[in-house]
Amino acid sequence: MAYLPADILDALDTLEPAIRDAFIEAINQITSAIRLKELEEMIRAGDIEEAVEALRLEEGFFGPLYEVQRSAYMRGGQQILASTRVRDPYDGSRFVLSFNGRHDRAERWIREQSSELITEVIEEQKEQARIVIREAAEAGQHPRDTARAIVGKVDPATGKREGGFIGLDSRRRGVFGKVMAGMATPEGIRDLVTVPRDGTAPFVTLESVNQATKQRILRAYRAGEAASAADIAISRKQLRNKLLKDRGDTIGRTEALNGLRAGRHEGFLQLVDSGAVRRDQVRIRWQATLDSRVRDSHRHLHDQTIRLGKFFNPAPGVFMQYPGDLEHSPGNPKALAANVIQCRCLAVYRVRSDLMRYEDD
């Protein structure tokens, strides 16, 4: 079974939580800056787009996330060049090149990929807000209640807003909404619980719910009642925080390794640019993590080798110069995402010193 090398794992141990924390901090700053009265007024007036603008989903709040993404890219480039010693053609000595994070390619990748992630998060949150506002209006919900459902309420103990869905993707928002609505009635409580036919203990069906909320649901289920107002209030806060952390963890796992892999690839491009090695000498081998979670398409690519500048093809319309390559499949973004999100594959680079003349690419 193939595993990620120790230096990559050490980097991920630092970068993944740093990216997650930067994402959560950006969401917390946004919720603190939201103009609640303006949001409520725009909802009351039926002006959905102005209500969305009142949420202040602005790129500036994500500055720390950009910096951590840049750190991942830089670390990948520095690591790969530090571990790649090339021979001086004049005296035969071996030397290490430094990584140039200011190279045009490097700065473009950092700028474009960070902007793409931030834009994706912002646009997703805007669309979630539009959906909630429309649904609330159709249900006749009071504008104040709609606004608080989006952004949460201020916790007197922390001064922060808690319990809104800002920061959650559509799947996690669905879990949050289902649990909060279900806890309010005995029927809803029953819908949240699975009773095994073999006589074992009932359990909360949704695995992503935090343990304390699960216990409150099961307590209400055994009593045949809705959850108490106090239980619903604390569950709203705890479940939202847990789901937001889960979202941050997913982003952290994906973006940390993506940055490391892109930086490593840029390191070899800079190695070729320097003249220390020729492009036709560099081979790239796809290394998959061969466990039960690996994608079938990536399992089939395991140990496949290409030359630098050529492409792996994990799915129709998806072209990658290395695992996690985000730049060469603009025509099929969904398939690209399906082959990148939480992918743990790695490119293994090798310089063929036996090639003493140029070969055709």
Side-chain angles (χ1 to χ4, degrees):
M1 183 177 294
Y3 295 97
L4 292 173
D7 61 337
I8 296 292
L9 291 174
D10 288 344
L12 292 176
D13 284 344
T14 300
L15 292 166
E16 286 180 0
I19 291 174
R20 177 200 66 210
D21 292 347
F23 167 74
I24 292 174
E25 179 57 26
I27 297 301
N28 288 338
Q29 288 187 20
I30 287 170
T31 56
S32 296
I34 286 170
R35 299 183 289 265
L36 185 61
K37 289 185 178 179
E38 182 180 343
L39 174 61
E40 184 181 334
E41 289 171 2
M42 293 302 102
I43 293 173
R44 181 178 289 107
D47 193 332
I48 293 178
E49 292 309 311
E50 285 300 318
V52 169
E53 288 301 312
L55 294 174
R56 297 197 62 192
L57 293 161
E58 301 165 5
E59 288 192 15
F61 291 114
F62 291 90
L65 180 59
Y66 167 86
E67 294 300 332
V68 185
Q69 286 182 283
R70 185 178 190 279
S71 295
Y73 187 90
M74 291 293 297
R75 189 159 176 174
Q78 291 163 353
Q79 280 185 344
I80 197 70
L81 289 185
S83 63
T84 305
R85 294 183 176 275
V86 294
R87 190 180 298 279
D88 190 305
Y90 297 103
D91 61 14
S93 63
R94 292 190 176 274
F95 64 95
V96 174
L97 279 144
S98 62
F99 182 72
N100 179 14
R102 304 291 295 184
H103 191 286
D104 287 346
R105 279 191 310 262
E107 291 198 328
R108 183 179 68 251
W109 188 95
I110 295 167
R111 181 177 62 253
E112 291 179 355
Q113 297 310 319
S114 178
S115 177
E116 184 174 322
L117 171 64
I118 292 168
T119 299
E120 178 184 330
V121 170
I122 288 174
E123 291 306 314
E124 181 181 50
Q125 296 308 299
K126 288 182 177 181
E127 185 56 27
Q128 293 296 315
R130 292 185 186 104
I131 292 170
V132 169
I133 293 169
R134 290 192 191 103
E135 290 176 348
E138 291 171 2
Q141 188 177 59
H142 193 285
R144 182 180 296 108
D145 294 333
T146 304
R148 287 177 175 171
I150 296 171
V151 306
K153 297 179 181 180
V154 175
D155 185 333
T158 64
K160 295 181 179 179
R161 292 194 177 277
E162 303 278 4
F165 70 77
I166 293 295
L168 304 183
D169 56 10
S170 59
R171 180 177 66 82
R172 292 181 176 90
R173 183 182 73 85
V175 171
F176 183 74
K178 183 174 182 178
V179 171
M180 290 298 99
M183 292 181 73
T185 66
E187 296 78 15
I189 286 287
R190 288 195 294 270
D191 287 343
L192 295 173
V193 175
T194 294
V195 181
R197 294 182 178 181
D198 61 6
T200 54
F203 60 90
V204 175
T205 308
L206 297 168
E207 294 183 1
S208 54
V209 176
N210 61 296
Q211 289 300 318
T213 297
K214 286 182 179 180
Q215 292 306 311
R216 296 183 192 106
I217 292 170
L218 291 172
R219 185 166 62 241
Y221 173 79
R222 288 190 292 268
E225 300 172 349
S228 68
D231 279 356
I232 292 174
I234 188 64
S235 293
R236 179 180 295 277
K237 173 182 175 180
Q238 292 178 347
L239 179 57
R240 181 264 186 182
N241 289 345
K242 196 265 185 184
L243 293 173
L244 185 63
K245 180 181 179 298
D246 288 350
R247 176 88 193 282
D249 284 336
T250 298
I251 291 173
R253 282 191 294 269
T254 300
E255 298 302 322
L257 189 53
N258 280 352
L260 288 170
R261 292 184 294 203
R264 285 162 57 89
H265 193 74
E266 172 61 24
F268 260 86
L269 292 177
Q270 291 185 16
L271 196 62
V272 171
D273 290 346
S274 73
V277 299
R278 302 191 312 271
R279 178 178 291 268
D280 66 294
Q281 288 179 276
V282 181
R283 298 293 186 270
I284 305 172
R285 178 171 61 84
W286 187 293
Q287 178 179 293
T289 303
L290 300 178
D291 58 16
S292 61
R293 294 188 293 150
V294 69
R295 296 164 171 87
D296 286 341
S297 59
H298 294 190
R299 187 186 301 276
H300 293 318
L301 285 173
H302 180 66
D303 278 344
Q304 187 177 126
T305 300
I306 61 172
R307 298 182 183 185
L308 183 68
K310 300 300 183 181
F311 294 94
F312 297 102
N313 184 211
V318 177
F319 303 95
M320 295 182 171
Q321 293 189 347
Y322 56 91
D325 180 5
L326 299 167
E327 296 185 278
H328 297 97
S329 305
N332 201 342
K334 288 186 177 180
L336 176 62
N339 280 275
V340 170
I341 294 175
Q342 298 198 65
C343 167
R344 296 162 295 142
C345 300
L346 192 70
V348 178
Y349 297 83
R350 182 168 70 92
V351 178
R352 291 189 60 180
S353 59
D354 59 309
L355 296 179
M356 301 307 295
R357 60 181 177 80
Y358 280 95
E359 294 186 350
D360 293 337
D361 285 339

